[in-house]
């Protein structure tokens, strides 16, 4: 479970880019063959339309050139291509194209862009309206819809996400073990993770016994369409996305084996790395198998919107889906929901966890190093004036995009404990670390630390876990999950101190010192101080 999956984030970003259709209808190339999704094409980047008015782009998937998912194009009075509903309309052209409405921020078919100095440009924090008090309680008009991000369908669904019911378990309920809720921070996952980890009983076995055990089927919780599968870099690690309709998507990662309705694609996805699909699946049908690690699982819903992010623009550059992260438990019918709740390590509500801990004017929540464009970890200067799409991946000289990330949030299970999670511990190229933030009774908790508090210095200690009495035995160094309701000790090995100060401009000053262990020894910020923004 603790294994870092850098390739998972990369694969998701690549998948979303591949699914986006380009809105610049003037760039559609003439092709001798009518394009069809998945069919071979001749030149990367060219676009074409089929006889029904769907537009496709020629993309390189692995070593093969093939036509992307088609999007319905309708001509408006000005002759510009637009998708057939107001939410998905292309108000701006392709990146670098001319535009006339300076200040307009809108979806352009590939990304949320802005018209700046007469050119379609990347959207930076200064280009979007200030976040309202209390955060956005619903999607602002300039933020892409969930349907646009996943590129599935040519119009927005009119049915309610709540009408989708999960009538089957993802894993056999009798084979489930304690499960990690949303909100874990570990390794390069510096900010709270937007997926849960479903536990398996096979993880209690020794490595020798586990490899002799049977794999456990992974099944669709409701009817739907598998719209993509991808490799996460190894033969036993895959990602699967199911669209259940009505703007509900379920996502599965680190799937050990591709089986069932996807069995015929197992070798192809490992060769090509990513496959856009349209495979129908019924509730209870198998599409994978699991044995050797927890199953990453989450649900995104078009009517879910997390208000606890103070700057959602930070997620336009990567992991744009975060505000749509939904509590998956209410989707399941009562008997399944109860069985799953009983296995969630977190005993407080919501049992499925939480990822949005930004509290305006305080130190609580997610932060990104000043001068970088949010989650991407890339410098703002790279995006300013860019006329071509910027590839994902870590900045030059950095080990991962998380080098610039910072999170100060309650622990995902023990909500009384605060975790200080940083992508830059001692090495500016990236060396992620998670420690317990020791809050003395005389100090404000991070969600009460304001500009009026001035500089506050906290001790940092190693995370130590305490199992509840009567918990099942786990092999030392094994893969078994921690039990339901475990807590954190405040007496862990001291790792250093951190000085925090909320500034009047809403930024956060941070300085880590790993050579001292007492907050009293830290007297003032030095040249090692860093500044973070939302």
């Amino acid at each position: 479970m603790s294994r870092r999956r850098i390739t998972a984030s990369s694969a998701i970003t690549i998948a979303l880019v591949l699914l986006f259709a380009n809105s610049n209808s003037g760039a559609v190339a003439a092709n001798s063959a009518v394009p069809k999704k998945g069919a071979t094409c001749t030149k990367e980047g060219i676009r074409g339309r089929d006889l029904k008015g769907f537009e496709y782009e020629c993309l390189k998937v692995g070593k093969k050139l093939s036509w992307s998912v088609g999007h319905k194009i309708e001509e408006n009075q000005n002759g510009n291509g637009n998708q057939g509903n107001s939410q998905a309309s292309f108000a701006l052209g392709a990146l670098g194209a001319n535009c006339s409405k300076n200040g307009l921020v809108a979806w352009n078919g590939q990304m949320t862009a802005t018209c700046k100095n007469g050119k379609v440009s990347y959207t930076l924090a200064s280009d979007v309206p200030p976040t309202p008090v209390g955060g956005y309680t619903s999607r602002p008009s300039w933020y892409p819809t969930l349907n646009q991000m996943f590129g599935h369908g040519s119009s927005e669904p009119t049915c309610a996400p709540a009408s989708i019911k999960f009538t089957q378990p993802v894993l056999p309920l009798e084979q489930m073990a304690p499960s990690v809720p949303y909100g874990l921070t570990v390794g390069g996952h510096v900010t709270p993770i937007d997926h849960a980890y479903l536990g398996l009983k096979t993880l209690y076995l020794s490595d020798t016994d586990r490899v002799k055990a049977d794999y456990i089927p992974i099944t669709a919780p409701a009817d739907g369409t598998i719209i993509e599968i991808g490799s996460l870099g190894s033969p036993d690690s895959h990602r699967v996305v199911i669209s259940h309709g009505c703007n509900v998507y379920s996502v599965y990662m680190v799937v050990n084996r591709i089986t069932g309705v996807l069995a015929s694609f197992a070798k192809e996805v490992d060769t090509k790395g990513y496959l856009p699909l349209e495979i129908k699946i019924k509730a209870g049908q198998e599409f994978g198998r699991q044995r050797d690690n927890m199953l990453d699982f989450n649900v995104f819903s078009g009517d879910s919107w997390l208000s606890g992010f103070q700057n959602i623009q930070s997620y336009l550059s990567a992991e744009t889906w975060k505000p749509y992260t939904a509590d998956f438990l209410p989707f399941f019918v009562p008997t399944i929901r109860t069985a799953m709740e009983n296995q969630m390590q977190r005993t407080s509500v919501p049992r499925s966890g939480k990822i949005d801990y930004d509290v305006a004017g305080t130190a609580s929540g997610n932060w990104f190093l000043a001068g970088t464009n949010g989650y991407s970890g890339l410098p703002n200067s790279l995006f300013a004036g860019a006329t071509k799409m910027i590839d994902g991946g870590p900045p030059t000289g950095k080990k991962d995009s998380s080098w610039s990330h910072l999170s100060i949030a309650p622990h995902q299970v023990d909500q009384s404990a605060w975790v200080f999670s940083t992508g830059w511990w001692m090495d500016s190229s990236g060396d992620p670390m998670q420690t317990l933030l020791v809050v003395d009774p005389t100090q404000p908790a991070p969600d009460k630390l304001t500009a009026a508090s001035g500089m506050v210095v906290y001790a940092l200690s190693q995370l130590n876990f305490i199992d509840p009495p009567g918990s099942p035995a786990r092999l030392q160094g094994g893969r078994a999950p921690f039990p339901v309701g475990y807590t954190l000790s405040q007496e862990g090995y001291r790792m250093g101190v951190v000085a925090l100060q909320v500034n009047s401009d809403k930024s956060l000053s941070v300085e880590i010192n790993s050579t001292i262990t007492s907050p009293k020894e830290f007297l003032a910020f030095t040249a090692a101080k860093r500044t973070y923004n939302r």
Side-chain angles (χ1 to χ4, degrees), residues 110-186:
Q110 288 182 299
M111 54 183 278
T112 294
T114 186
C115 184
K116 192 183 302 182
N117 300 321
K119 295 288 185 181
V120 179
S121 307
Y122 271 100
T123 304
L124 300 177
S126 57
D127 300 318
V128 300
T131 301
V133 175
Y136 286 103
T137 56
S138 61
R139 180 186 70 88
S141 61
W142 52 266
Y143 203 87
T145 68
L146 191 60
N147 199 50
Q148 287 169 338
M149 279 185 280
F150 278 99
H152 191 238
S154 59
S155 62
E156 293 298 317
T158 57
C159 52
S163 66
I164 300 298
K165 299 299 180 185
F166 291 175
T167 60
Q168 298 293 323
V170 172
L171 298 170
L173 297 178
E174 69 276 8
Q175 294 295 331
M176 283 194 66
S179 301
V180 180
Y182 292 159
L184 171 71
T185 56
V186 59

Side-chain angles (χ1 to χ4, degrees), residues 202 205 208-216 291-292:
T202 56
L205 301 174
T208 301
D209 291 337
R210 194 183 63 260
V211 297
K212 299 175 184 177
D214 291 334
Y215 283 83
I216 296 167
R291 185 189 67 186
D292 298 326

Side-chain angles (χ1 to χ4, degrees), residues 505-519:
D505 64 356
K506 300 181 181 179
S507 65
L508 181 70
S509 294
V510 178
E511 185 170 342
I512 302 167
N513 188 317
S514 63
T515 65
I516 59 178
T517 57
S518 172

Side-chain angles (χ1 to χ4, degrees), residues 276-337:
L277 298 171
E278 290 284 331
I279 304 297
K280 298 294 183 182
I281 189 168
K282 292 289 187 181
Q285 277 191 295
E286 179 180 324
F287 63 87
R289 288 199 164 235
Q290 201 76 357
R291 185 189 67 186
D292 298 326
N293 50 263
M294 288 184 170
L295 176 67
D296 297 27
F297 173 69
N298 66 353
V299 171
F300 298 113
S301 171
D303 68 349
S304 292
W305 188 264
L306 301 181
S307 62
F309 290 122
Q310 281 299 299
N311 179 20
I312 56 173
Q313 184 278 332
S314 292
Y315 306 97
L316 287 179
S317 60
E319 304 215 350
T320 316
W321 54 81
K322 278 191 182 296
Y324 294 103
T325 304
D327 184 344
F328 54 84
L329 289 170
F331 283 94
F332 287 94
V333 295
T335 53
I336 300 174
R337 173 177 179 166

Side-chain angles (χ1 to χ4, degrees), residues 384-400:
T387 58
K388 294 182 179 180
M389 295 291 288
I390 295 171
D391 293 333
T396 302
K398 307 301 181 183
K399 298 173 183 176
D400 187 46

Side-chain angles (χ1 to χ4, degrees), residues 342-387:
N342 290 341
Q343 294 291 0
M344 299 307 298
Q345 292 171 338
R346 175 173 167 142
T347 57
S348 59
V349 176
R351 296 290 299 272
S352 60
K354 179 178 170 66
I355 66 171
D356 55 326
Y357 286 102
D358 294 0
V359 178
T362 77
S364 177
N366 293 350
W367 299 90
F368 304 97
L369 195 68
T372 61
N373 189 15
Y375 208 91
S376 72
L378 298 168
N380 283 326
S381 58
L382 186 66
F383 293 89
T387 58

